[in-house]
Amino acid sequence: LGEAGCVAAELHAQGALESHALVTLVPPRVPHEALRALDAPLLCVLGEAAGQASEMAEALALNPRLRGEYFVRHFAGCRQDFLLAPGSEREAEAADQAVSLALAFLDRHVPEGVAAGVPR
């Protein structure tokens, strides 16, 4: 979440972190070098930064190791911190959608049993 998503993406890109999939929720900005070096499926959820969403999608599209296994979801009209502190009913609904999207993405990409014991 936030800056931690950027750090996780960079660590994975450097080979210091192994993962089946990465989910970044409202990261401030993931360096393009890290996006081009990722080899695990990535979901990125963004708030107000529409330009950041298109930049990120373009950088990910240049990464052949992802084989198209990435998704950038921009929640237009939502502040960047809408997941932590929804400021309106619209942001609360967007936060629920973002969490559901993240869970579905992880269900698809993380083998059964790997996340055993993680509460839902």
Side-chain angles (χ1 to χ4, degrees):
L1 182 61
E3 187 65 38
C6 295
V7 172
E10 288 186 75
L11 288 172
H12 181 87
Q14 295 168 4
L17 175 68
E18 290 185 34
S19 56
H20 294 281
L22 293 167
V23 174
T24 60
L25 303 172
V26 294
R29 187 167 295 276
V30 179
H32 286 241
E33 301 79 34
L35 296 175
R36 287 191 297 268
L38 288 175
D39 62 0
L42 172 72
L43 168 66
C44 182
V45 172
L46 297 167
E48 62 194 14
Q52 182 183 351
S54 59
E55 286 176 24
M56 184 172 284
E58 289 171 12
L60 290 166
L62 296 173
N63 182 339
R65 288 179 279 188
L66 287 176
R67 299 179 309 279
E69 291 290 331
Y70 64 89
F71 187 66
V72 178
R73 176 64 165 94
H74 171 235
F75 285 90
C78 292
R79 295 168 302 119
Q80 193 65 3
D81 67 346
F82 77 99
L83 280 163
L84 293 175
S88 66
E89 186 173 320
R90 183 183 188 296
E91 286 190 344
E93 289 172 8
D96 286 343
Q97 289 175 6
V99 170
S100 293
L101 180 61
L103 290 173
F105 188 84
L106 291 172
D107 280 345
R108 177 177 177 196
H109 293 288
V110 177
E112 195 169 321
V114 169
V118 176
R120 286 199 161 212

